[in-house]
Amino acid sequence: MEQWSEKLNVPLPDCAKCGVCCLCATPSVSYKKLLEKAAKGDKFARDFFSIFVPYKNIDEARKISGEIVDKTIKSCEDGTNDIPVEELVFYRCRHYHFTEKCLVYENRPELCRFFPDSPFTILHENCAFYNWAKECKKNYNKLKDKIEKLKECKKELENMKEQKRLEELYRRIKTLKDDKYKFMMLVPSLCIVSPASSWLRKPGS
């Protein structure tokens, strides 16, 4: 998240410790794929399973944060999230206490320390990073628009250069009196420099 803040010039807020990310989390991959990653030694997957336990079903998670559940389901339905709705699993942290908050705060894994890792993470409105994410996305879209405009300008400049080249070619052709020299300038790929009367390449040459 620090990289996003630096690149998009949006200051990082302090965590409000609302606990939503601890009590209603869902990674960007399905439960099955996350298990496969953990089995292969993936650090994120192993860290995730070391602190998070799944809810029995979506309705159980919705009682904790209906907003996060509904936003996540919508992201699956509109294609933003690659996980099918029927494969969605929500999790809660086994170390979160409703009054004492995080019981392993000083030793929490990187996935907690650097949450959210992107402004495109689904966040609750009570999360301190909610407005941060909105500003980051707004600046990101502005930057994206600037890049597109620069691409258009580059294309326009290339077209202008090509137009200038053709105008110069036309000017030079107009000064020529011999048609075979005009042909040579128009289609140089079919011609060779030769004192012979024909400027066309011979087959196999």
Side-chain angles (χ1 to χ4, degrees), residues 77-131:
E77 292 174 340
D78 64 20
T80 307
N81 194 329
D82 293 332
I83 306 175
V85 175
E86 58 272 16
E87 293 184 23
L88 268 180
V89 177
F90 292 88
Y91 305 78
R92 61 176 176 80
C93 177
R94 66 176 83 237
H95 301 297
Y96 184 84
H97 192 278
F98 281 96
T99 56
E100 298 179 33
K101 306 301 180 183
C102 181
L103 301 178
V104 293
Y105 188 79
E106 295 303 325
N107 298 312
R108 67 195 187 283
E110 288 183 359
L111 66 92
C112 297
R113 292 177 185 274
F114 301 122
F115 179 87
D117 61 348
S118 160
F120 297 95
T121 301
I122 295 173
L123 301 169
H124 192 279
E125 289 187 5
N126 292 340
C127 177
F129 293 96
Y130 182 81
N131 289 327

Side-chain angles (χ1 to χ4, degrees), residues 21-145:
C21 61
C22 306
L23 294 172
C24 196
T26 181
S28 57
V29 295
S30 66
Y31 179 79
K32 183 180 178 181
K33 287 184 179 180
L34 199 63
L35 277 178
E36 292 174 354
K37 285 176 173 287
K40 293 177 181 178
D42 182 85
K43 188 177 186 308
F44 174 88
R46 290 200 166 192
D47 283 347
F48 191 89
F49 281 124
S50 72
I51 61 173
F52 284 98
V53 291
Y55 285 104
K56 293 178 182 178
N57 50 55
I58 289 179
D59 288 335
E60 190 178 19
R62 184 177 272 112
K63 292 177 183 178
I64 300 298
S65 180
E67 181 182 333
I68 292 295
V69 171
D70 291 340
K71 283 182 176 180
T72 305
I73 290 174
K74 184 180 178 182
S75 73
C76 294
E77 292 174 340
D78 64 20
T80 307
N81 194 329
D82 293 332
I83 306 175
V85 175
E86 58 272 16
E87 293 184 23
L88 268 180
V89 177
F90 292 88
Y91 305 78
R92 61 176 176 80
C93 177
R94 66 176 83 237
H95 301 297
Y96 184 84
H97 192 278
F98 281 96
T99 56
E100 298 179 33
K101 306 301 180 183
C102 181
L103 301 178
V104 293
Y105 188 79
E106 295 303 325
N107 298 312
R108 67 195 187 283
E110 288 183 359
L111 66 92
C112 297
R113 292 177 185 274
F114 301 122
F115 179 87
D117 61 348
S118 160
F120 297 95
T121 301
I122 295 173
L123 301 169
H124 192 279
E125 289 187 5
N126 292 340
C127 177
F129 293 96
Y130 182 81
N131 289 327
W132 168 84
K134 285 179 66 175
E135 286 300 310
C136 282
K137 284 186 278 190
K138 185 169 70 175
N139 289 356
Y140 174 83
N141 288 329
K142 286 180 180 179
L143 185 61
K144 191 176 178 181
D145 289 341

